Amino acid sequence: MESKNQKARDNAVQVQADTINVGLTEENVRNIFSIEAQKVLKEAELVATEVALRRLNEYNETLINKLVKYEMLQAFTDPAIQMLFRKTERTAICTDREFDYEMLSELLAHRVKKDKDYVVKAAINKSVEIIEDISEEALLGLTLLFAIINLQPESGIVSEGLAVLDSLFGRLITGNKLPFGRTWIDNLEIVQTVKTIPYSSIPKFNDLFNKKLDGYFRDGIEVNSEKYNKIINDLKNIGLSENVLIKNEYIDNYYKIPVVENNQIKNLKINKVTKTGQITVIKLTDEQIKVLENIYENYDKKPQNIVEIQKKYEEEFDRYVNLKKISTWWNDTMFNMSSIEITPIGRILAQVNAKRLDDRVPSLEN
């Protein structure tokens, strides 16, 4: 991000026409927050100034910690960030909820990171205005919708992937009651974070969730078959060994590429042992990616294999308490409702909230 700086002494703060300039330290920013808080209170002309000031102080403390963590103190040299900060303060005055302060600070931080993305910038600006109008139940429901539809594990090993997802959903729902009825959906529609799609209905959990886990339901290539031997030869020709394949956990004598879906192949990292015995991680070349994608699309796909895989997957899935709880909630509450589409504003709020609760969730910039 480009900062708009003027000349100043080291660590100096200049306030001219509401523009804050270079050399910002944590102490400087705290002073700025204090000045801005007084301005916001004066502009609002509130009677309950003590309550408002307490809320502002709590929010500003949360924000300072976030800025220090992300090394973003210098962001306040940008007038656009200053104006967004004022907007977050006006929202903070109106709420006592701690998670609102967390969300506001995360939204402001992500706005700094996505300075050149106008869709994200617009969505964040709108999100700041509406966060106080979303109930905790509705925010949880929005976050679960986002996670179920969008978030994938990185591991192509089924047991590892399901364990990660189970842990994720456990963090999202800890201490909260799962949304019930459709009041929370009405809340989300009013603030334009979701929209209902007419003449279409929500599928069962497995029909939706398992689509993004395509690699878990494929058989692979039978070992020592003619196809397998050809693949091993093809791999050698592009500088890869058969170790790039893993054994299918659910059926004997089958090997596959350890990815959740074909699109993940381009991000595979391969361990390579050097002549000195050191292990290095290399990225795949375009040629290697193309060969692996072709292997993935040409698995055996034998019907009896797929049936066996699905059966064993379901048995394993049932052992994960949080996943089972989410799937039951979805089928009891969401199934057969009118389809719901998450808007850009909703995606921003859901992803930021998921990231707030579980740091393994990808950031907006990823």
Side-chain angles (χ1 to χ4, degrees):
M1 189 186 101
E2 294 180 359
S3 298
K4 300 182 179 179
N5 298 334
Q6 298 177 0
K7 291 184 178 180
R9 299 185 306 276
D10 288 347
N11 300 326
V13 177
Q14 298 176 3
V15 180
Q16 298 175 353
D18 295 329
T19 299
I20 304 162
N21 299 300
V22 299
L24 300 182
T25 65
E26 181 177 340
E27 182 181 356
N28 296 152
V29 175
R30 286 185 182 278
N31 290 335
I32 291 165
F33 284 5
S34 179
I35 294 169
E36 290 294 329
Q38 294 301 323
K39 288 182 180 179
V40 170
L41 291 174
K42 184 177 180 181
E43 290 172 2
E45 297 182 348
L46 297 173
V47 175
T49 54
E50 288 186 13
V51 173
L53 185 58
R54 174 180 57 78
R55 291 173 177 176
L56 282 175
N57 287 337
E58 290 178 7
Y59 165 59
N60 288 341
E61 187 62 31
T62 300
L63 178 57
I64 274 284
N65 293 335
K66 203 75 64 176
L67 293 174
V68 171
K69 175 184 176 182
Y70 295 147
E71 300 181 349
M72 290 183 176
L73 293 175
Q74 296 307 313
F76 276 80
T77 60
D78 186 337
I81 299 304
Q82 296 169 41
M83 297 305 294
L84 180 60
F85 169 60
R86 289 187 182 180
K87 187 180 289 188
T88 64
E89 284 191 304
R90 293 189 187 99
T91 300
I93 284 177
C94 302
T95 178
D96 252 329
R97 300 186 304 190
E98 184 178 337
F99 82 80
D100 281 341
Y101 305 148
E102 285 281 342
M103 289 292 293
L104 288 169
S105 61
E106 286 285 353
L107 286 166
L108 193 146
H110 285 295
R111 166 64 178 78
V112 174
K113 296 177 183 178
K114 300 294 285 186
D115 185 56
K116 303 302 181 185
D117 190 321
Y118 286 88
V119 173
V120 172
K121 283 167 62 175
I124 287 176
N125 288 340
K126 186 66 176 178
S127 297
V128 164
E129 296 175 6
I130 65 172
I131 185 61
E132 62 162 319
D133 296 322
I134 302 176
S135 71
E136 292 185 50
E137 179 187 43
L139 183 60
L140 174 59
L142 177 65
T143 306
L144 291 176
L145 281 174
F146 169 81
I148 290 168
I149 294 169
N150 294 285
L151 297 183
Q152 290 177 312
E154 292 184 351
S155 176
I157 299 172
V158 181
S159 56
E160 291 180 359
L162 290 182
V164 168
L165 290 170
D166 188 70
S167 173
L168 164 68
F169 284 108
R171 294 187 186 186
L172 296 185
I173 65 178
T174 295
N176 296 299
K177 290 184 178 179
L178 292 174
F180 182 75
R182 70 160 291 125
T183 302
W184 63 279
I185 297 176
D186 293 337
N187 183 183
L188 295 174
E189 280 197 292
I190 290 169
V191 295
Q192 300 178 349
T193 54
V194 301
K195 56 184 178 182
T196 299
I197 309 300
Y199 314 115
S200 176
S201 59
I202 294 174
K204 285 193 171 182
F205 180 84
N206 283 349
D207 293 336
L208 177 68
F209 190 73
N210 293 350
K211 277 186 179 180
K212 63 182 184 179
L213 305 177
D214 176 70
Y216 290 174
F217 299 95
R218 296 199 174 212
D219 50 8
I221 311 295
E222 188 172 13
V223 70
N224 294 328
S225 65
E226 184 178 341
K227 183 191 288 188
Y228 180 85
N229 292 331
K230 181 181 182 305
I231 284 172
I232 297 305
N233 187 59
D234 290 342
L235 290 174
K236 288 180 180 178
N237 288 338
I238 57 171
L240 296 175
S241 75
E242 60 189 272
N243 292 332
V244 74
L245 305 176
I246 63 169
K247 188 179 184 303
N248 192 308
E249 303 110 298
Y250 294 147
I251 50 175
D252 293 333
N253 300 321
Y254 274 80
Y255 283 77
K256 61 180 184 176
I257 302 167
V259 291
V260 178
E261 64 171 357
N262 200 343
N263 287 336
Q264 285 190 340
I265 289 175
K266 61 180 178 291
N267 298 319
L268 268 180
K269 301 288 192 300
I270 305 298
N271 291 333
K272 190 169 184 178
V273 181
T274 65
K275 292 180 179 179
T276 59
Q278 293 180 320
I279 298 177
T280 60
V281 179
I282 62 171
K283 289 184 65 174
L284 295 173
T285 66
D286 290 342
E287 182 186 18
Q288 290 170 335
I289 291 170
K290 186 175 181 179
V291 169
L292 289 175
E293 287 177 341
N294 185 61
I295 292 171
Y296 182 91
E297 293 302 332
N298 286 281
Y299 286 165
D300 287 356
K301 304 173 189 174
K302 293 181 179 178
Q304 65 270 27
N305 288 341
I306 306 306
V307 169
E308 183 68 14
I309 289 169
Q310 289 175 333
K311 178 185 175 183
K312 290 183 177 178
Y313 169 86
E314 289 169 6
E315 291 173 353
E316 181 160 3
F317 183 92
D318 285 344
R319 291 198 289 269
Y320 294 94
V321 176
N322 296 312
L323 284 175
K324 187 66 176 176
K325 186 175 183 179
I326 291 295
S327 67
T328 300
W329 164 74
W330 182 276
N331 291 333
D332 289 347
T333 305
M334 305 296 295
F335 174 54
N336 262 344
M337 277 190 179
S338 294
S339 292
I340 298 172
E341 180 181 327
I342 303 176
T343 69
I345 299 168
R347 285 196 295 272
I348 293 291
L349 284 170
Q351 187 163 3
V352 167
N353 189 45
K355 180 73 173 175
R356 179 179 71 89
L357 296 169
D358 190 332
D359 199 52
R360 294 171 296 178
V361 173
S363 300
L364 295 177
E365 62 270 17
N366 293 340

